[in-house]
Tab-separated table of all heavy atoms in Angstrom:
chain	number	residue	atom	x	y	z
A	2	VAL	N	-30.445	26.154	-24.988
A	2	VAL	CA	-29.069	25.589	-25.080
A	2	VAL	C	-28.412	25.720	-26.426
A	2	VAL	O	-27.364	25.224	-26.620
A	2	VAL	CB	-29.075	24.103	-24.624
A	2	VAL	CG1	-29.520	23.995	-23.158
A	2	VAL	CG2	-29.891	23.251	-25.524
A	3	LYS	N	-29.100	26.505	-27.298
A	3	LYS	CA	-28.580	26.780	-28.641
A	3	LYS	C	-28.221	25.520	-29.400
A	3	LYS	O	-27.164	25.317	-30.002
A	3	LYS	CB	-27.388	27.682	-28.562
A	3	LYS	CG	-27.767	29.026	-27.921
A	3	LYS	CD	-26.703	30.021	-28.041
A	3	LYS	CE	-26.884	31.352	-27.384
A	3	LYS	NZ	-28.188	31.817	-27.030
A	4	MET	N	-29.200	24.575	-29.496
A	4	MET	CA	-29.121	23.396	-30.268
A	4	MET	C	-30.263	23.328	-31.197
A	4	MET	O	-31.287	23.980	-30.945
A	4	MET	CB	-29.076	22.167	-29.334
A	4	MET	CG	-27.943	22.069	-28.454
A	4	MET	SD	-27.932	20.520	-27.447
A	4	MET	CE	-27.360	19.374	-28.665
A	5	SER	N	-30.151	22.499	-32.206
A	5	SER	CA	-31.306	22.362	-33.101
A	5	SER	C	-32.391	21.539	-32.406
A	5	SER	O	-32.140	20.638	-31.561
A	5	SER	CB	-30.862	21.656	-34.393
A	5	SER	OG	-30.702	20.241	-34.168
A	6	TYR	N	-33.635	21.883	-32.725
A	6	TYR	CA	-34.813	21.180	-32.172
A	6	TYR	C	-34.721	19.707	-32.579
A	6	TYR	O	-35.027	18.823	-31.758
A	6	TYR	CB	-36.067	21.820	-32.631
A	6	TYR	CG	-37.319	21.000	-32.294
A	6	TYR	CD1	-37.703	20.949	-30.920
A	6	TYR	CD2	-38.018	20.285	-33.212
A	6	TYR	CE1	-38.822	20.131	-30.588
A	6	TYR	CE2	-39.065	19.541	-32.910
A	6	TYR	CZ	-39.512	19.403	-31.567
A	6	TYR	OH	-40.601	18.714	-31.289
A	7	GLY	N	-34.335	19.408	-33.791
A	7	GLY	CA	-34.281	18.061	-34.240
A	7	GLY	C	-33.360	17.146	-33.360
A	7	GLY	O	-33.647	16.015	-33.100
A	8	THR	N	-32.219	17.713	-32.973
A	8	THR	CA	-31.287	17.033	-32.132
A	8	THR	C	-31.948	16.727	-30.754
A	8	THR	O	-31.919	15.610	-30.269
A	8	THR	CB	-29.946	17.853	-31.916
A	8	THR	OG1	-29.348	17.955	-33.129
A	8	THR	CG2	-29.033	17.117	-30.958
A	9	VAL	N	-32.470	17.769	-30.170
A	9	VAL	CA	-33.081	17.556	-28.810
A	9	VAL	C	-34.294	16.593	-28.936
A	9	VAL	O	-34.463	15.751	-28.067
A	9	VAL	CB	-33.533	18.955	-28.217
A	9	VAL	CG1	-34.328	18.751	-26.946
A	9	VAL	CG2	-32.294	19.817	-27.949
A	10	ASN	N	-35.070	16.779	-29.983
A	10	ASN	CA	-36.221	15.870	-30.130
A	10	ASN	C	-35.857	14.447	-30.312
A	10	ASN	O	-36.679	13.529	-29.970
A	10	ASN	CB	-37.114	16.374	-31.308
A	10	ASN	CG	-38.458	15.827	-31.295
A	10	ASN	OD1	-39.112	15.670	-30.241
A	10	ASN	ND2	-38.911	15.342	-32.450
A	11	SER	N	-34.700	14.109	-30.831
A	11	SER	CA	-34.279	12.751	-31.047
A	11	SER	C	-33.763	12.058	-29.787
A	11	SER	O	-33.591	10.841	-29.809
A	11	SER	CB	-33.237	12.707	-32.157
A	11	SER	OG	-31.982	13.254	-31.767
A	12	TRP	N	-33.397	12.808	-28.765
A	12	TRP	CA	-32.881	12.219	-27.592
A	12	TRP	C	-33.871	11.268	-26.984
A	12	TRP	O	-35.069	11.545	-26.823
A	12	TRP	CB	-32.559	13.265	-26.532
A	12	TRP	CG	-31.463	14.153	-26.840
A	12	TRP	CD1	-30.470	14.001	-27.803
A	12	TRP	CD2	-31.156	15.424	-26.226
A	12	TRP	NE1	-29.589	15.073	-27.769
A	12	TRP	CE2	-30.017	15.915	-26.828
A	12	TRP	CE3	-31.702	16.138	-25.207
A	12	TRP	CZ2	-29.389	17.130	-26.431
A	12	TRP	CZ3	-31.154	17.372	-24.802
A	12	TRP	CH2	-30.003	17.803	-25.478
A	13	GLY	N	-33.417	10.079	-26.596
A	13	GLY	CA	-34.220	9.129	-25.919
A	13	GLY	C	-35.156	8.292	-26.770
A	13	GLY	O	-35.792	7.371	-26.346
A	14	VAL	N	-35.174	8.628	-28.077
A	14	VAL	CA	-36.006	7.853	-28.985
A	14	VAL	C	-35.308	6.567	-29.270
A	14	VAL	O	-34.089	6.586	-29.488
A	14	VAL	CB	-36.348	8.663	-30.245
A	14	VAL	CG1	-37.091	7.885	-31.266
A	14	VAL	CG2	-37.071	9.974	-29.909
A	15	GLU	N	-36.070	5.519	-29.310
A	15	GLU	CA	-35.434	4.218	-29.501
A	15	GLU	C	-34.547	4.179	-30.793
A	15	GLU	O	-34.942	4.607	-31.800
A	15	GLU	CB	-36.549	3.162	-29.641
A	15	GLU	CG	-36.032	1.752	-29.604
A	15	GLU	CD	-37.113	0.719	-29.561
A	15	GLU	OE1	-38.131	0.989	-28.940
A	15	GLU	OE2	-36.931	-0.320	-30.165
A	16	GLY	N	-33.335	3.685	-30.604
A	16	GLY	CA	-32.428	3.621	-31.725
A	16	GLY	C	-31.625	4.876	-31.970
A	16	GLY	O	-30.866	4.948	-32.894
A	17	ARG	N	-31.871	5.872	-31.185
A	17	ARG	CA	-31.173	7.143	-31.412
A	17	ARG	C	-30.339	7.500	-30.152
A	17	ARG	O	-30.307	6.735	-29.177
A	17	ARG	CB	-32.142	8.286	-31.669
A	17	ARG	CG	-32.864	8.035	-32.994
A	17	ARG	CD	-33.411	9.294	-33.511
A	17	ARG	NE	-34.169	9.034	-34.770
A	17	ARG	CZ	-34.801	9.934	-35.408
A	17	ARG	NH1	-34.793	11.127	-34.952
A	17	ARG	NH2	-35.398	9.668	-36.529
A	18	ALA	N	-29.714	8.682	-30.138
A	18	ALA	CA	-28.883	9.065	-29.074
A	18	ALA	C	-29.711	9.229	-27.739
A	18	ALA	O	-30.875	9.582	-27.751
A	18	ALA	CB	-28.279	10.468	-29.360
A	19	GLU	N	-29.030	8.839	-26.658
A	19	GLU	CA	-29.643	9.006	-25.291
A	19	GLU	C	-29.595	10.499	-24.951
A	19	GLU	O	-28.861	11.262	-25.484
A	19	GLU	CB	-28.829	8.205	-24.297
A	19	GLU	CG	-28.952	6.691	-24.536
A	19	GLU	CD	-28.174	5.916	-23.455
A	19	GLU	OE1	-27.778	6.510	-22.383
A	19	GLU	OE2	-27.970	4.703	-23.679
A	20	VAL	N	-30.390	10.836	-23.903
A	20	VAL	CA	-30.323	12.152	-23.355
A	20	VAL	C	-28.932	12.354	-22.752
A	20	VAL	O	-28.508	11.549	-21.917
A	20	VAL	CB	-31.427	12.391	-22.295
A	20	VAL	CG1	-31.377	13.764	-21.726
A	20	VAL	CG2	-32.826	12.104	-22.923
A	21	PRO	N	-28.202	13.380	-23.111
A	21	PRO	CA	-26.853	13.592	-22.666
A	21	PRO	C	-26.775	13.764	-21.125
A	21	PRO	O	-27.696	14.262	-20.553
A	21	PRO	CB	-26.354	14.844	-23.383
A	21	PRO	CG	-27.242	14.995	-24.528
A	21	PRO	CD	-28.598	14.421	-24.152
A	22	ASP	N	-25.623	13.400	-20.594
A	22	ASP	CA	-25.401	13.464	-19.119
A	22	ASP	C	-25.516	14.869	-18.634
A	22	ASP	O	-25.819	15.113	-17.428
A	22	ASP	CB	-24.069	12.855	-18.728
A	22	ASP	CG	-24.098	11.292	-18.928
A	22	ASP	OD1	-25.153	10.683	-18.946
A	22	ASP	OD2	-22.963	10.742	-19.037
A	23	TRP	N	-25.148	15.866	-19.399
A	23	TRP	CA	-25.088	17.240	-18.934
A	23	TRP	C	-26.416	17.878	-18.792
A	23	TRP	O	-26.553	18.906	-18.157
A	23	TRP	CB	-24.212	18.119	-19.925
A	23	TRP	CG	-24.797	18.216	-21.313
A	23	TRP	CD1	-24.368	17.432	-22.372
A	23	TRP	CD2	-25.790	19.093	-21.813
A	23	TRP	NE1	-25.109	17.815	-23.518
A	23	TRP	CE2	-26.012	18.783	-23.155
A	23	TRP	CE3	-26.616	20.107	-21.292
A	23	TRP	CZ2	-26.910	19.480	-23.956
A	23	TRP	CZ3	-27.475	20.755	-22.049
A	23	TRP	CH2	-27.590	20.483	-23.409
A	24	VAL	N	-27.508	17.251	-19.337
A	24	VAL	CA	-28.813	17.865	-19.306
A	24	VAL	C	-29.363	18.006	-17.877
A	24	VAL	O	-29.861	19.040	-17.467
A	24	VAL	CB	-29.800	17.085	-20.206
A	24	VAL	CG1	-31.277	17.580	-19.966
A	24	VAL	CG2	-29.402	17.179	-21.666
A	25	GLU	N	-29.237	16.955	-17.123
A	25	GLU	CA	-29.807	17.066	-15.711
A	25	GLU	C	-29.138	18.086	-14.859
A	25	GLU	O	-29.819	18.958	-14.273
A	25	GLU	CB	-29.707	15.700	-15.037
A	25	GLU	CG	-30.467	15.573	-13.729
A	25	GLU	CD	-30.527	14.137	-13.174
A	25	GLU	OE1	-29.939	13.240	-13.787
A	25	GLU	OE2	-31.207	14.014	-12.208
A	26	PRO	N	-27.796	18.206	-14.828
A	26	PRO	CA	-27.233	19.317	-14.072
A	26	PRO	C	-27.538	20.689	-14.646
A	26	PRO	O	-27.637	21.666	-13.886
A	26	PRO	CB	-25.705	18.964	-14.023
A	26	PRO	CG	-25.504	17.887	-14.967
A	26	PRO	CD	-26.785	17.293	-15.262
A	27	PHE	N	-27.634	20.807	-15.921
A	27	PHE	CA	-28.009	22.061	-16.563
A	27	PHE	C	-29.368	22.507	-16.083
A	27	PHE	O	-29.494	23.643	-15.678
A	27	PHE	CB	-28.032	21.903	-18.095
A	27	PHE	CG	-28.397	23.221	-18.767
A	27	PHE	CD1	-27.377	24.069	-19.194
A	27	PHE	CD2	-29.740	23.534	-19.026
A	27	PHE	CE1	-27.753	25.313	-19.768
A	27	PHE	CE2	-30.051	24.738	-19.639
A	27	PHE	CZ	-29.050	25.631	-19.987
A	28	ILE	N	-30.328	21.612	-16.083
A	28	ILE	CA	-31.696	21.956	-15.570
A	28	ILE	C	-31.684	22.269	-14.130
A	28	ILE	O	-32.344	23.213	-13.646
A	28	ILE	CB	-32.672	20.830	-16.004
A	28	ILE	CG1	-32.820	20.779	-17.501
A	28	ILE	CG2	-34.062	21.165	-15.302
A	28	ILE	CD1	-33.783	19.753	-18.059
A	29	ALA	N	-30.867	21.557	-13.337
A	29	ALA	CA	-30.757	21.835	-11.929
A	29	ALA	C	-30.262	23.298	-11.750
A	29	ALA	O	-30.748	24.036	-10.838
A	29	ALA	CB	-29.860	20.854	-11.213
A	30	ASN	N	-29.231	23.696	-12.483
A	30	ASN	CA	-28.743	25.083	-12.360
A	30	ASN	C	-29.688	26.058	-12.908
A	30	ASN	O	-29.776	27.197	-12.455
A	30	ASN	CB	-27.366	25.140	-13.127
A	30	ASN	CG	-26.240	24.510	-12.278
A	30	ASN	OD1	-26.203	24.696	-11.085
A	30	ASN	ND2	-25.392	23.800	-12.959
A	31	TYR	N	-30.490	25.701	-13.953
A	31	TYR	CA	-31.491	26.567	-14.467
A	31	TYR	C	-32.546	26.896	-13.376
A	31	TYR	O	-32.936	28.039	-13.209
A	31	TYR	CB	-32.134	25.945	-15.695
A	31	TYR	CG	-33.226	26.730	-16.338
A	31	TYR	CD1	-32.919	27.797	-17.226
A	31	TYR	CD2	-34.589	26.443	-16.106
A	31	TYR	CE1	-33.922	28.515	-17.794
A	31	TYR	CE2	-35.567	27.164	-16.725
A	31	TYR	CZ	-35.254	28.190	-17.551
A	31	TYR	OH	-36.275	28.926	-18.175
A	32	ILE	N	-32.948	25.822	-12.616
A	32	ILE	CA	-33.909	26.036	-11.517
A	32	ILE	C	-33.307	26.938	-10.472
A	32	ILE	O	-33.966	27.881	-10.007
A	32	ILE	CB	-34.296	24.659	-10.931
A	32	ILE	CG1	-35.082	23.836	-11.923
A	32	ILE	CG2	-35.023	24.854	-9.617
A	32	ILE	CD1	-35.280	22.394	-11.520
A	33	LYS	N	-32.020	26.731	-10.106
A	33	LYS	CA	-31.380	27.641	-9.151
A	33	LYS	C	-31.358	29.048	-9.569
A	33	LYS	O	-31.530	30.013	-8.870
A	33	LYS	CB	-30.009	27.125	-8.796
A	33	LYS	CG	-29.921	25.891	-7.982
A	33	LYS	CD	-28.453	25.444	-7.742
A	33	LYS	CE	-28.408	24.127	-7.055
A	33	LYS	NZ	-27.049	23.673	-6.866
A	34	ALA	N	-31.050	29.254	-10.897
A	34	ALA	CA	-30.945	30.593	-11.459
A	34	ALA	C	-32.326	31.282	-11.402
A	34	ALA	O	-32.389	32.432	-11.076
A	34	ALA	CB	-30.428	30.581	-12.860
A	35	GLN	N	-33.370	30.537	-11.653
A	35	GLN	CA	-34.690	31.096	-11.593
A	35	GLN	C	-35.020	31.585	-10.182
A	35	GLN	O	-35.590	32.659	-9.976
A	35	GLN	CB	-35.793	30.091	-12.048
A	35	GLN	CG	-35.815	29.891	-13.561
A	35	GLN	CD	-36.891	28.899	-13.984
A	35	GLN	OE1	-37.135	27.901	-13.315
A	35	GLN	NE2	-37.585	29.266	-14.973
A	36	LYS	N	-34.648	30.762	-9.178
A	36	LYS	CA	-34.933	31.115	-7.811
A	36	LYS	C	-34.095	32.321	-7.401
A	36	LYS	O	-34.612	33.206	-6.708
A	36	LYS	CB	-34.571	29.916	-6.933
A	36	LYS	CG	-35.559	28.771	-7.001
A	36	LYS	CD	-35.148	27.575	-6.179
A	36	LYS	CE	-36.108	26.431	-6.319
A	36	LYS	NZ	-35.721	25.307	-5.535
A	37	LEU	N	-32.863	32.371	-7.849
A	37	LEU	CA	-32.038	33.554	-7.492
A	37	LEU	C	-32.579	34.812	-8.193
A	37	LEU	O	-32.530	35.921	-7.593
A	37	LEU	CB	-30.621	33.284	-7.960
A	37	LEU	CG	-29.845	32.252	-7.070
A	37	LEU	CD1	-28.416	31.973	-7.662
A	37	LEU	CD2	-29.680	32.783	-5.604
A	38	ASP	N	-33.070	34.662	-9.434
A	38	ASP	CA	-33.647	35.825	-10.038
A	38	ASP	C	-34.851	36.321	-9.285
A	38	ASP	O	-35.042	37.494	-9.195
A	38	ASP	CB	-34.055	35.491	-11.493
A	38	ASP	CG	-32.912	35.336	-12.473
A	38	ASP	OD1	-31.754	35.715	-12.062
A	38	ASP	OD2	-33.095	34.827	-13.545
A	39	ALA	N	-35.680	35.419	-8.774
A	39	ALA	CA	-36.860	35.754	-8.008
A	39	ALA	C	-36.454	36.513	-6.660
A	39	ALA	O	-37.072	37.503	-6.328
A	39	ALA	CB	-37.720	34.552	-7.689
A	40	ILE	N	-35.435	35.981	-6.071
A	40	ILE	CA	-34.945	36.621	-4.827
A	40	ILE	C	-34.378	38.010	-5.103
A	40	ILE	O	-34.655	38.986	-4.372
A	40	ILE	CB	-33.847	35.758	-4.118
A	40	ILE	CG1	-34.472	34.478	-3.614
A	40	ILE	CG2	-33.061	36.521	-3.072
A	40	ILE	CD1	-33.443	33.417	-3.173
A	41	GLU	N	-33.587	38.119	-6.226
A	41	GLU	CA	-33.109	39.438	-6.633
A	41	GLU	C	-34.169	40.446	-6.893
A	41	GLU	O	-34.129	41.605	-6.430
A	41	GLU	CB	-32.219	39.311	-7.874
A	41	GLU	CG	-31.581	40.586	-8.347
A	41	GLU	CD	-30.723	40.386	-9.553
A	41	GLU	OE1	-31.139	39.589	-10.449
A	41	GLU	OE2	-29.761	41.089	-9.691
A	42	LYS	N	-35.238	40.023	-7.512
A	42	LYS	CA	-36.407	40.867	-7.779
A	42	LYS	C	-37.021	41.346	-6.459
A	42	LYS	O	-37.404	42.513	-6.318
A	42	LYS	CB	-37.407	40.203	-8.661
A	42	LYS	CG	-38.584	41.124	-9.053
A	42	LYS	CD	-39.527	40.428	-10.005
A	42	LYS	CE	-40.710	41.190	-10.450
A	42	LYS	NZ	-40.978	42.440	-9.833
A	43	ILE	N	-37.206	40.410	-5.564
A	43	ILE	CA	-37.788	40.823	-4.239
A	43	ILE	C	-36.935	41.879	-3.586
A	43	ILE	O	-37.406	42.839	-3.045
A	43	ILE	CB	-37.929	39.556	-3.343
A	43	ILE	CG1	-39.085	38.625	-3.923
A	43	ILE	CG2	-38.256	39.965	-1.927
A	43	ILE	CD1	-39.073	37.308	-3.298
A	44	ILE	N	-35.609	41.654	-3.557
A	44	ILE	CA	-34.732	42.602	-2.953
A	44	ILE	C	-34.797	43.982	-3.606
A	44	ILE	O	-34.807	45.022	-2.967
A	44	ILE	CB	-33.279	42.012	-2.946
A	44	ILE	CG1	-33.153	40.844	-2.005
A	44	ILE	CG2	-32.259	43.193	-2.545
A	44	ILE	CD1	-31.916	40.113	-2.087
A	45	GLN	N	-34.821	43.956	-4.938
A	45	GLN	CA	-34.875	45.200	-5.721
A	45	GLN	C	-36.194	45.962	-5.399
A	45	GLN	O	-36.229	47.193	-5.300
A	45	GLN	CB	-34.670	44.971	-7.181
A	45	GLN	CG	-33.283	44.620	-7.573
A	45	GLN	CD	-33.162	44.274	-9.078
A	45	GLN	OE1	-34.115	44.063	-9.710
A	45	GLN	NE2	-31.919	44.147	-9.491
A	46	ASP	N	-37.260	45.182	-5.315
A	46	ASP	CA	-38.567	45.758	-5.075
A	46	ASP	C	-38.605	46.447	-3.700
A	46	ASP	O	-39.296	47.463	-3.513
A	46	ASP	CB	-39.714	44.762	-5.193
A	46	ASP	CG	-39.932	44.357	-6.620
A	46	ASP	OD1	-39.451	45.027	-7.562
A	46	ASP	OD2	-40.604	43.382	-6.853
A	47	LYS	N	-37.931	45.860	-2.669
A	47	LYS	CA	-37.928	46.439	-1.324
A	47	LYS	C	-37.042	47.703	-1.285
A	47	LYS	O	-37.265	48.516	-0.371
A	47	LYS	CB	-37.418	45.358	-0.364
A	47	LYS	CG	-38.420	44.275	-0.155
A	47	LYS	CD	-37.993	43.373	0.974
A	47	LYS	CE	-39.198	42.388	1.254
A	47	LYS	NZ	-38.998	41.667	2.463
A	48	GLU	N	-36.073	47.806	-2.185
A	48	GLU	CA	-35.163	49.018	-2.145
A	48	GLU	C	-35.950	50.196	-2.719
A	48	GLU	O	-35.459	51.359	-2.480
A	48	GLU	CB	-33.909	48.716	-2.951
A	48	GLU	CG	-33.009	47.703	-2.246
A	48	GLU	CD	-31.812	47.363	-3.072
A	48	GLU	OE1	-31.707	47.759	-4.264
A	48	GLU	OE2	-30.973	46.603	-2.576
A	49	ILE	N	-36.963	50.060	-3.451
A	49	ILE	CA	-37.636	51.179	-4.099
A	49	ILE	C	-38.514	51.920	-3.119
A	49	ILE	O	-38.989	51.571	-2.208
A	49	ILE	CB	-38.518	50.675	-5.298
A	49	ILE	CG1	-37.563	50.111	-6.371
A	49	ILE	CG2	-39.400	51.733	-5.840
A	49	ILE	CD1	-38.250	49.532	-7.545
């Protein structure tokens, strides 16, 4: 996500920033993208 490790590492730690709201949908889309990449690879492999 192009953020500093220190920022991400501080999320959710008592007295510091909470985990941002955008993280959960980002990871959900990351999972979908991984699945689509896998499907694309299967399709490409069958075309060869």
Side-chain angles (χ1 to χ4, degrees):
V2 298
K3 300 192 183 339
M4 296 183 78
S5 74
Y6 170 72
T8 298
V9 172
N10 194 45
S11 70
W12 291 344
V14 176
E15 191 171 325
R17 298 203 180 176
E19 295 181 12
V20 178
D22 292 337
W23 61 265
V24 171
E25 190 169 5
F27 180 91
I28 293 177
N30 284 320
Y31 180 80
I32 291 167
K33 287 179 185 179
Q35 286 183 319
K36 289 177 182 179
L37 289 172
D38 287 347
I40 291 169
E41 181 181 36
K42 183 175 179 353
I43 291 169
I44 291 170
Q45 288 175 349
D46 289 346
K47 287 189 176 192
E48 291 177 354
I49 295 176

